[in-house]
Coordinates of all heavy atoms in Angstrom, one line a residue:
M1 N 10.1 -15.8 28.2 CA 10.6 -17.1 27.8 C 11.9 -16.9 27.2 O 13.0 -17.0 27.7 CB 9.6 -17.9 27.0 CG 10.0 -19.3 26.8 SD 8.5 -20.3 26.1 CE 8.5 -19.6 24.5
S2 N 11.9 -16.4 25.9 CA 13.1 -16.1 25.3 C 13.1 -14.6 25.0 O 12.1 -14.0 24.8 CB 13.3 -16.9 24.0 OG 12.2 -16.5 23.1
K3 N 14.3 -14.0 25.0 CA 14.3 -12.6 24.6 C 14.5 -12.5 23.1 O 14.9 -13.5 22.4 CB 15.4 -11.9 25.3 CG 16.8 -12.6 25.3 CD 17.7 -11.8 26.2 CE 19.1 -12.5 26.3 NZ 20.1 -11.8 27.0
G4 N 14.2 -11.3 22.6 CA 14.2 -11.2 21.1 C 12.9 -11.5 20.5 O 11.9 -11.8 21.3
R5 N 12.8 -11.4 19.3 CA 11.5 -11.5 18.6 C 11.3 -12.9 18.0 O 12.3 -13.4 17.5 CB 11.3 -10.5 17.5 CG 11.2 -9.1 18.1 CD 11.2 -8.1 17.1 NE 10.7 -6.8 17.6 CZ 10.6 -5.7 16.9 NH1 10.9 -5.7 15.6 NH2 10.1 -4.6 17.4
P6 N 10.2 -13.5 18.2 CA 10.0 -14.8 17.6 C 10.0 -14.7 16.0 O 9.8 -13.7 15.5 CB 8.6 -15.3 18.0 CG 7.9 -14.0 18.4 CD 9.0 -13.0 18.8
S7 N 10.3 -15.8 15.4 CA 10.5 -15.8 14.0 C 9.1 -15.4 13.3 O 9.1 -14.8 12.2 CB 11.0 -17.1 13.4 OG 10.1 -18.2 13.8
S8 N 8.0 -15.7 13.9 CA 6.7 -15.4 13.3 C 6.6 -13.8 13.2 O 6.0 -13.3 12.3 CB 5.6 -15.9 14.1 OG 5.6 -15.4 15.4
H9 N 7.2 -13.2 14.2 CA 7.2 -11.7 14.2 C 8.0 -11.1 13.0 O 7.6 -10.3 12.3 CB 7.8 -11.3 15.5 CG 7.7 -9.8 15.8 ND1 7.0 -9.3 16.8 CD2 8.2 -8.8 15.1 CE1 7.1 -8.0 16.8 NE2 7.8 -7.6 15.7
I10 N 9.2 -11.7 12.9 CA 10.1 -11.3 11.8 C 9.4 -11.5 10.4 O 9.4 -10.7 9.5 CB 11.4 -12.1 11.8 CG1 12.1 -12.1 13.1 CG2 12.3 -11.6 10.6 CD1 12.7 -10.7 13.5
K11 N 8.7 -12.6 10.3 CA 8.0 -13.0 9.1 C 6.9 -12.0 8.8 O 6.7 -11.5 7.7 CB 7.5 -14.4 9.2 CG 6.9 -15.0 8.0 CD 6.7 -16.5 8.1 CE 5.9 -17.0 7.0 NZ 4.4 -16.7 7.1
A12 N 6.1 -11.6 9.9 CA 5.0 -10.7 9.7 C 5.5 -9.3 9.3 O 4.9 -8.7 8.5 CB 4.3 -10.6 11.1
Q13 N 6.6 -8.9 9.8 CA 7.2 -7.6 9.5 C 7.6 -7.6 8.0 O 7.4 -6.7 7.3 CB 8.5 -7.3 10.3 CG 8.1 -7.1 11.7 CD 8.9 -5.9 12.3 OE1 9.9 -5.5 11.8 NE2 8.4 -5.3 13.4
K14 N 8.1 -8.7 7.5 CA 8.5 -8.9 6.1 C 7.3 -8.9 5.3 O 7.3 -8.2 4.2 CB 9.3 -10.2 6.0 CG 10.0 -10.3 4.6 CD 11.0 -11.4 4.7 CE 11.7 -11.6 3.3 NZ 10.9 -12.1 2.3
E15 N 6.3 -9.5 5.7 CA 5.0 -9.6 4.9 C 4.4 -8.2 4.7 O 3.9 -7.9 3.7 CB 4.1 -10.6 5.5 CG 4.4 -12.0 5.2 CD 3.5 -13.0 6.0 OE1 2.7 -12.6 6.8 OE2 3.7 -14.2 5.8
V16 N 4.3 -7.5 5.8 CA 3.7 -6.2 5.8 C 4.5 -5.3 4.9 O 3.9 -4.5 4.1 CB 3.4 -5.6 7.2 CG1 4.7 -5.1 7.8 CG2 2.4 -4.5 7.1
K17 N 5.8 -5.3 4.9 CA 6.6 -4.5 4.1 C 6.4 -4.8 2.6 O 6.4 -3.9 1.8 CB 8.0 -4.5 4.6 CG 8.2 -3.8 5.9 CD 9.7 -3.7 6.3 CE 10.2 -4.9 7.0 NZ 11.5 -4.7 7.6
E18 N 6.3 -6.1 2.4 CA 6.1 -6.5 1.0 C 4.7 -6.1 0.5 O 4.6 -5.6 -0.6 CB 6.4 -8.0 0.8 CG 7.9 -8.3 0.9 CD 8.2 -9.8 0.9 OE1 7.2 -10.6 0.9 OE2 9.4 -10.1 0.9
R19 N 3.8 -6.2 1.4 CA 2.4 -5.8 1.0 C 2.3 -4.3 0.7 O 1.7 -3.9 -0.2 CB 1.5 -6.1 2.2 CG 0.0 -5.7 1.9 CD -0.8 -5.7 3.2 NE -0.4 -4.7 4.1 CZ -1.0 -4.4 5.3 NH1 -2.1 -5.1 5.6 NH2 -0.5 -3.5 6.1
E20 N 3.0 -3.5 1.5 CA 3.0 -2.1 1.3 C 4.0 -1.6 0.3 O 4.1 -0.4 0.0 CB 3.3 -1.4 2.6 CG 2.5 -1.8 3.8 CD 1.1 -1.3 3.9 OE1 0.8 -0.4 3.0 OE2 0.3 -1.7 4.7
G21 N 4.7 -2.5 -0.3 CA 5.8 -2.1 -1.2 C 6.9 -1.3 -0.6 O 7.5 -0.5 -1.3
Y22 N 7.1 -1.5 0.7 CA 8.1 -0.8 1.4 C 7.8 0.7 1.5 O 8.8 1.5 1.7 CB 9.5 -1.1 0.9 CG 10.0 -2.5 1.1 CD1 9.5 -3.6 0.4 CD2 10.9 -2.8 2.2 CE1 9.9 -4.9 0.6 CE2 11.3 -4.1 2.5 CZ 10.8 -5.1 1.7 OH 11.2 -6.4 1.9
M23 N 6.6 1.1 1.2 CA 6.3 2.5 1.2 C 5.9 3.0 2.6 O 5.0 2.4 3.2 CB 5.2 2.8 0.2 CG 5.0 4.2 -0.1 SD 3.7 4.5 -1.4 CE 2.2 4.3 -0.4
C24 N 6.4 4.1 2.9 CA 6.1 4.7 4.3 C 4.7 5.2 4.3 O 4.3 5.9 3.4 CB 7.1 5.8 4.5 SG 6.7 6.7 6.1
L25 N 4.0 4.8 5.3 CA 2.6 5.3 5.6 C 2.5 6.8 5.6 O 1.5 7.4 5.2 CB 2.1 4.6 6.9 CG 0.8 5.1 7.4 CD1 -0.3 4.6 6.5 CD2 0.6 4.5 8.8
R26 N 3.5 7.4 6.2 CA 3.4 8.8 6.4 C 3.9 9.7 5.3 O 3.2 10.6 4.9 CB 4.2 9.1 7.7 CG 4.1 10.6 8.1 CD 4.6 10.8 9.5 NE 4.6 12.3 9.8 CZ 5.7 13.1 9.6 NH1 6.8 12.6 9.2 NH2 5.6 14.3 9.9
C27 N 5.1 9.4 4.8 CA 5.7 10.3 3.8 C 5.6 9.7 2.4 O 5.9 10.4 1.4 CB 7.1 10.7 4.2 SG 8.3 9.3 4.0
G28 N 5.2 8.5 2.3 CA 5.1 7.9 0.9 C 6.4 7.5 0.3 O 6.5 7.0 -0.8
G29 N 7.5 7.7 1.0 CA 8.8 7.3 0.5 C 9.0 5.8 0.6 O 8.5 5.1 1.4
V30 N 9.8 5.3 -0.4 CA 10.0 3.8 -0.4 C 11.5 3.6 0.1 O 12.4 4.2 -0.4 CB 9.9 3.3 -1.8 CG1 10.3 1.8 -1.9 CG2 8.4 3.4 -2.3
F31 N 11.6 2.8 1.1 CA 12.9 2.6 1.7 C 13.1 1.1 1.9 O 12.2 0.4 2.5 CB 13.0 3.2 3.1 CG 12.8 4.7 3.0 CD1 11.6 5.3 3.0 CD2 14.0 5.5 3.0 CE1 11.5 6.7 3.0 CE2 13.9 6.9 3.0 CZ 12.6 7.5 2.9
K32 N 14.2 0.6 1.5 CA 14.4 -0.8 1.6 C 14.5 -1.2 3.1 O 14.2 -2.3 3.5 CB 15.8 -1.2 0.9 CG 15.6 -1.4 -0.5 CD 16.3 -2.7 -1.0 CE 16.1 -3.1 -2.4 NZ 16.8 -2.2 -3.3
D33 N 14.9 -0.3 3.9 CA 15.1 -0.6 5.3 C 13.9 0.0 6.2 O 14.1 0.3 7.3 CB 16.4 -0.1 5.9 CG 16.6 1.4 5.7 OD1 15.8 2.0 4.9 OD2 17.5 2.0 6.3
S34 N 12.8 0.1 5.5 CA 11.6 0.6 6.2 C 11.3 -0.3 7.4 O 11.6 -1.5 7.4 CB 10.4 0.7 5.3 OG 10.2 -0.5 4.7
H35 N 10.6 0.2 8.4 CA 10.3 -0.5 9.6 C 8.8 -1.0 9.6 O 8.0 -0.4 8.9 CB 10.4 0.4 10.8 CG 11.8 0.8 11.0 ND1 12.2 1.7 12.1 CD2 13.0 0.6 10.3 CE1 13.5 1.9 12.0 NE2 14.0 1.3 11.0
G36 N 8.6 -2.1 10.3 CA 7.2 -2.5 10.5 C 6.7 -1.8 11.8 O 7.3 -2.0 12.9
H37 N 5.7 -1.0 11.7 CA 5.2 -0.3 12.9 C 3.9 -1.0 13.3 O 3.1 -1.3 12.5 CB 4.9 1.2 12.5 CG 4.2 1.8 13.6 ND1 4.8 2.2 14.8 CD2 2.9 2.2 13.7 CE1 3.9 2.8 15.6 NE2 2.7 2.8 14.9
H38 N 3.8 -1.1 14.6 CA 2.6 -1.8 15.2 C 1.5 -0.8 15.5 O 1.7 0.1 16.2 CB 3.0 -2.5 16.5 CG 3.9 -3.7 16.3 ND1 3.3 -5.0 16.2 CD2 5.2 -3.9 16.0 CE1 4.3 -5.8 15.9 NE2 5.4 -5.2 15.8
L39 N 0.4 -1.1 14.9 CA -0.8 -0.3 15.2 C -1.3 -0.7 16.6 O -1.8 0.2 17.3 CB -1.9 -0.5 14.1 CG -1.4 -0.2 12.7 CD1 -2.5 -0.5 11.7 CD2 -1.0 1.3 12.5
L40 N -1.2 -1.9 16.9 CA -1.5 -2.4 18.2 C -0.1 -2.8 18.8 O 0.6 -3.5 18.2 CB -2.3 -3.6 18.2 CG -3.8 -3.5 17.6 CD1 -4.4 -4.8 17.5 CD2 -4.6 -2.6 18.5
Y41 N 0.1 -2.3 20.0 CA 1.5 -2.6 20.5 C 1.6 -4.0 20.9 O 0.8 -4.6 21.5 CB 1.7 -1.7 21.7 CG 2.0 -0.3 21.3 CD1 1.1 0.7 21.5 CD2 3.2 0.0 20.7 CE1 1.3 2.0 21.1 CE2 3.5 1.3 20.3 CZ 2.5 2.3 20.5 OH 2.8 3.6 20.1
Y42 N 2.7 -4.5 20.4 CA 3.0 -5.9 20.6 C 3.1 -6.2 22.1 O 2.6 -7.2 22.6 CB 4.4 -6.2 20.0 CG 4.8 -7.6 19.9 CD1 4.0 -8.6 19.3 CD2 6.0 -8.1 20.5 CE1 4.4 -9.9 19.2 CE2 6.4 -9.4 20.4 CZ 5.6 -10.3 19.8 OH 6.0 -11.6 19.7
S43 N 3.6 -5.2 22.8 CA 3.8 -5.4 24.3 C 2.5 -5.4 25.0 O 2.4 -5.8 26.1 CB 4.7 -4.3 24.8 OG 4.1 -3.0 24.5
E44 N 1.4 -4.9 24.3 CA 0.1 -4.9 24.9 C -0.7 -6.1 24.4 O -2.0 -6.1 24.6 CB -0.6 -3.6 24.6 CG 0.0 -2.4 25.4 CD -0.5 -1.1 25.0 OE1 -1.5 -1.1 24.2 OE2 0.0 -0.1 25.5
G45 N -0.1 -7.0 23.8 CA -0.8 -8.2 23.4 C -1.3 -8.2 22.0 O -2.0 -9.1 21.6
G46 N -1.0 -7.2 21.2 CA -1.4 -7.1 19.8 C -0.7 -8.2 19.1 O 0.5 -8.4 19.2
P47 N -1.4 -8.9 18.3 CA -0.8 -10.0 17.5 C 0.2 -9.4 16.4 O -0.1 -8.4 15.9 CB -1.9 -10.7 16.9 CG -3.0 -9.7 16.8 CD -2.8 -8.8 18.0
A48 N 1.2 -10.1 16.2 CA 2.2 -9.7 15.2 C 1.7 -10.3 13.8 O 2.1 -11.4 13.5 CB 3.6 -10.2 15.5
N49 N 0.8 -9.6 13.2 CA 0.5 -10.0 11.8 C 0.2 -8.8 11.0 O 0.2 -7.7 11.5 CB -0.7 -11.0 11.8 CG -2.0 -10.3 12.3 OD1 -2.4 -9.2 11.7 ND2 -2.6 -10.8 13.3
Y50 N 0.1 -9.0 9.7 CA 0.1 -7.9 8.8 C -1.1 -7.0 8.9 O -1.1 -5.8 8.5 CB 0.3 -8.4 7.4 CG -0.9 -9.2 6.8 CD1 -1.9 -8.5 6.1 CD2 -0.9 -10.5 6.9 CE1 -2.9 -9.2 5.6 CE2 -1.9 -11.3 6.4 CZ -3.0 -10.6 5.7 OH -4.0 -11.3 5.2
Q51 N -2.2 -7.4 9.6 CA -3.3 -6.6 9.8 C -3.1 -5.5 10.9 O -3.8 -4.5 11.0 CB -4.5 -7.4 10.1 CG -5.0 -8.2 8.9 CD -6.2 -9.1 9.3 OE1 -6.2 -9.7 10.3 NE2 -7.1 -9.2 8.3
T52 N -2.2 -5.8 11.7 CA -1.9 -4.9 12.8 C -0.6 -4.1 12.7 O -0.2 -3.4 13.6 CB -1.9 -5.6 14.2 OG1 -0.8 -6.5 14.2 CG2 -3.1 -6.4 14.4
M53 N -0.1 -4.1 11.5 CA 1.2 -3.5 11.3 C 1.1 -2.6 10.0 O 0.4 -2.8 9.1 CB 2.3 -4.5 11.2 CG 2.5 -5.3 12.5 SD 3.6 -6.7 12.3 CE 5.1 -5.9 12.0
A54 N 2.0 -1.6 10.1 CA 2.1 -0.7 8.9 C 3.6 -0.4 8.6 O 4.4 -0.7 9.5 CB 1.4 0.6 9.2
T55 N 3.8 0.0 7.4 CA 5.2 0.3 7.1 C 5.5 1.8 7.2 O 4.7 2.6 6.8 CB 5.4 -0.1 5.6 OG1 5.0 -1.5 5.4 CG2 6.8 0.1 5.2
M56 N 6.6 2.0 7.9 CA 7.1 3.4 8.0 C 8.6 3.4 7.8 O 9.3 2.5 8.1 CB 6.8 3.9 9.4 CG 5.3 4.2 9.7 SD 5.0 4.8 11.4 CE 5.1 6.5 11.1
C57 N 9.0 4.6 7.2 CA 10.5 4.7 7.0 C 11.1 5.0 8.4 O 10.5 5.4 9.3 CB 10.8 5.8 6.0 SG 10.6 7.4 6.6
P58 N 12.4 4.7 8.4 CA 13.1 4.9 9.7 C 12.9 6.3 10.3 O 12.7 6.4 11.5 CB 14.6 4.6 9.4 CG 14.5 3.7 8.2 CD 13.3 4.1 7.4
G59 N 13.0 7.3 9.5 CA 12.9 8.7 9.9 C 11.5 9.0 10.5 O 11.4 9.5 11.6
C60 N 10.5 8.6 9.8 CA 9.1 8.9 10.3 C 8.8 8.0 11.5 O 8.1 8.4 12.4 CB 8.1 8.6 9.2 SG 8.1 9.7 7.8
H61 N 9.3 6.8 11.5 CA 9.1 5.9 12.6 C 9.7 6.5 13.9 O 9.0 6.5 14.9 CB 9.7 4.5 12.2 CG 9.1 3.4 13.1 ND1 9.9 2.3 13.3 CD2 8.0 3.3 13.8 CE1 9.1 1.5 14.1 NE2 8.0 2.1 14.4
R62 N 10.9 7.0 13.7 CA 11.5 7.5 14.9 C 10.7 8.7 15.4 O 10.5 8.9 16.6 CB 13.0 7.9 14.6 CG 13.9 7.9 15.8 CD 15.3 8.3 15.4 NE 15.8 7.5 14.3 CZ 16.2 7.9 13.1 NH1 16.1 9.2 12.8 NH2 16.7 7.1 12.2
K63 N 10.3 9.6 14.5 CA 9.6 10.8 14.9 C 8.3 10.4 15.5 O 7.8 11.0 16.5 CB 9.3 11.6 13.6 CG 10.5 12.5 13.2 CD 10.1 13.4 12.1 CE 11.2 13.7 11.2 NZ 10.8 14.0 9.8
Y64 N 7.6 9.4 14.9 CA 6.3 9.0 15.5 C 6.5 8.6 17.0 O 5.7 9.0 17.8 CB 5.8 7.8 14.7 CG 4.5 7.3 15.2 CD1 3.3 8.0 14.9 CD2 4.4 6.2 16.1 CE1 2.1 7.6 15.5 CE2 3.2 5.8 16.6 CZ 2.0 6.5 16.3 OH 0.9 6.1 16.9
H65 N 7.5 7.8 17.2 CA 7.7 7.3 18.6 C 8.2 8.3 19.5 O 8.1 8.2 20.7 CB 8.6 6.0 18.6 CG 7.8 4.8 18.1 ND1 6.9 4.2 18.9 CD2 7.8 4.2 16.9 CE1 6.3 3.2 18.2 NE2 6.9 3.2 17.0
S66 N 8.8 9.4 19.0 CA 9.2 10.5 19.8 C 8.1 11.5 19.9 O 8.4 12.6 20.4 CB 10.6 11.0 19.4 OG 10.4 11.6 18.1
K67 N 7.0 11.2 19.4 CA 5.8 12.0 19.5 C 5.9 13.4 18.7 O 5.1 14.3 19.0 CB 5.4 12.3 21.0 CG 5.3 11.1 21.8 CD 3.8 10.6 21.9 CE 3.7 9.7 23.1 NZ 4.2 8.3 22.7
K68 N 6.8 13.4 17.8 CA 6.9 14.7 17.0 C 6.1 14.6 15.7 O 5.8 15.6 15.1 CB 8.4 14.9 16.7 CG 9.2 15.4 17.9 CD 10.6 15.6 17.6 CE 11.4 15.9 18.8 NZ 12.8 15.5 18.7
A69 N 5.8 13.4 15.3 CA 5.0 13.3 14.1 C 3.5 13.4 14.4 O 3.0 12.7 15.2 CB 5.3 12.0 13.4
N70 N 2.9 14.3 13.8 CA 1.5 14.6 14.1 C 0.6 13.8 13.1 O 0.1 14.3 12.2 CB 1.2 16.1 14.0 CG -0.2 16.4 14.4 OD1 -0.8 15.6 15.1 ND2 -0.7 17.5 13.9
I71 N 0.5 12.5 13.3 CA -0.4 11.7 12.5 C -1.3 10.9 13.3 O -1.0 10.5 14.4 CB 0.5 10.8 11.5 CG1 1.4 9.9 12.4 CG2 1.2 11.6 10.5 CD1 2.1 8.9 11.5
D72 N -2.4 10.6 12.7 CA -3.4 9.8 13.3 C -3.3 8.4 12.6 O -3.9 8.2 11.6 CB -4.8 10.4 13.2 CG -5.9 9.6 13.9 OD1 -5.6 8.5 14.3 OD2 -6.9 10.2 14.1
I73 N -2.6 7.6 13.2 CA -2.2 6.3 12.5 C -3.3 5.3 12.6 O -3.4 4.4 11.8 CB -0.9 5.8 13.1 CG1 -0.3 4.8 12.1 CG2 -1.1 5.1 14.4 CD1 1.2 4.6 12.3
I74 N -4.3 5.5 13.5 CA -5.3 4.5 13.6 C -6.4 4.6 12.5 O -6.9 3.7 12.0 CB -6.1 4.7 15.0 CG1 -5.1 4.5 16.1 CG2 -7.2 3.7 15.1 CD1 -4.4 3.1 16.2
R75 N -6.6 5.8 12.0 CA -7.6 6.1 11.0 C -7.1 6.3 9.6 O -7.7 7.0 8.8 CB -8.5 7.3 11.4 CG -9.3 6.9 12.6 CD -10.3 8.1 13.0 NE -9.5 9.2 13.6 CZ -10.0 10.4 13.5 NH1 -11.1 10.7 12.9 NH2 -9.3 11.4 14.0
F76 N -6.0 5.7 9.3 CA -5.4 6.0 8.0 C -6.2 5.2 6.9 O -6.9 4.3 7.2 CB -3.9 5.5 7.9 CG -3.7 4.1 7.8 CD1 -3.5 3.4 6.6 CD2 -3.7 3.3 9.0 CE1 -3.3 2.0 6.6 CE2 -3.4 2.0 9.0 CZ -3.2 1.3 7.8
Ligands
ZN101 ZN1 8.5 8.3 6.1
ZN102 ZN1 6.5 1.7 15.6

C-alpha cells in the first residue's frame, strides 16, 4: 500500500526503547540512537508492538543481522 513504516510502528519502536531504558539487550550499553529489533520479523507478519521487539545498540544490531553476533535472542 504505502512504502515506509506506519506510524504505529514508529510508536512501538519508541515505546520499546523507553521501556528498556534504551539499553542494548546484548551489551547492556545505553544509546540514545539504539534500534528496535524485531524478535518476530515484521516482514513475516509479526506485529509491531513492544512485546515482539527488543532494544539493541546500532553496533550489536548490525552484527546480529550480519550473523556475527552469537546470541540467542529468543530465550533472553
Ligand atoms: Zn550493544
Ligand atoms: Zn533487528
Side-chain angles (χ1 to χ4, degrees):
M1 194 164 69
S2 63
K3 48 185 178 175
R5 292 170 164 184
S7 61
S8 61
H9 187 122
I10 307 289
K11 188 166 168 285
Q13 291 222 340
K14 190 166 181 291
E15 281 173 0
V16 72
K17 286 188 273 192
E18 285 174 356
R19 180 194 63 173
E20 310 282 353
Y22 290 79
M23 191 175 80
C24 174
L25 172 66
R26 180 168 177 265
C27 71
V30 175
F31 298 84
K32 277 226 173 78
D33 60 342
S34 56
H35 294 181
H37 170 75
H38 288 265
L39 304 176
L40 296 173
Y41 286 105
Y42 191 57
S43 59
E44 292 173 4
N49 67 53
Y50 67 90
Q51 289 176 322
T52 63
M53 293 167 73
T55 304
M56 290 179 90
C57 74
C60 291
H61 197 205
R62 204 178 310 116
K63 280 184 209 156
Y64 179 80
H65 283 286
S66 63
K67 307 265 197 281
K68 284 177 189 154
N70 185 23
I71 56 174
D72 187 344
I73 200 162
I74 301 301
R75 288 185 288 155
F76 74 97

